[in-house]
Amino acid sequence: MRLTQYTDYSLRVLLYLGLQEDKKLSNIKDIADAYAISKNHLMKVTHELGKADLIETVRGRNGGIRLAKSPKEINVGDVVLKMEEDFHLVECFNCANNSCVITPACDLRHVLQEAYLAFLGVLKKYTLDDLLQREHPMRSLLHLDEKKE
């Protein structure tokens, strides 16, 4: 299984925001700098996270973004399902464009479907809060401790 860069960045933004002190606003530039990734990509990601009610945006001079829910309420599997465009692992997963002649007799599709469901099943067992239990090493790697001053 492979997640898109879009989903990867979405999860990174949520981790970053989850490490912030309660209700503290962050900005896209700081997140982009912390991860050394494109600010433009993060703008699209944060827009989508906002539409999914995972983050809230505060506009204005002192605005920024923060989690819209508690980290305990943000399920990793749900985030992945919202951010991934599709999970067409192979052609036959896409009914609209499937031209594989062996589809009616092929058991590979069922095996891959089982793997996909197991993958999502594991992700659904975890919340953002579960991923933040070791927050201190991540805080320093993202230079969040330096911003406290």
Side-chain angles (χ1 to χ4, degrees), residues 23-132:
K23 298 293 181 184
K24 182 180 182 294
L25 291 171
S26 297
N27 64 57
I28 293 170
K29 181 189 179 320
D30 287 344
I31 298 170
D33 290 347
Y35 287 117
I37 56 180
S38 164
K39 182 179 165 189
N40 289 335
H41 280 53
L42 284 187
M43 289 176 70
K44 294 173 190 170
V45 166
T46 56
H47 177 72
E48 199 64 35
L49 289 170
K51 284 179 23 183
D53 294 324
L54 293 167
I55 65 169
E56 61 183 11
T57 304
V58 177
R59 298 196 184 273
R61 181 178 170 104
N62 295 317
I65 57 175
R66 62 181 161 220
L67 293 179
K69 305 174 181 181
S70 145
K72 290 181 181 182
E73 297 176 282
I74 299 175
N75 182 275
V76 175
D78 291 342
V79 172
V80 168
L81 283 172
K82 286 178 184 175
M83 295 301 132
E84 281 295 312
E85 194 171 296
D86 64 56
F87 275 101
H88 298 153
L89 302 179
V90 289
E91 183 179 331
C92 60
F93 274 41
N94 184 350
C95 296
N97 296 324
N98 182 18
S99 62
C100 181
V101 297
I102 64 171
T103 298
C106 182
D107 288 330
L108 178 60
R109 177 182 181 159
H110 303 293
V111 171
L112 292 173
Q113 179 72 14
E114 184 179 344
Y116 161 73
L117 293 173
F119 175 74
L120 284 179
V122 169
L123 293 176
K124 284 191 163 277
K125 290 187 336 188
Y126 296 94
T127 66
L128 183 61
D129 190 60
D130 294 322
L131 304 178
L132 298 174

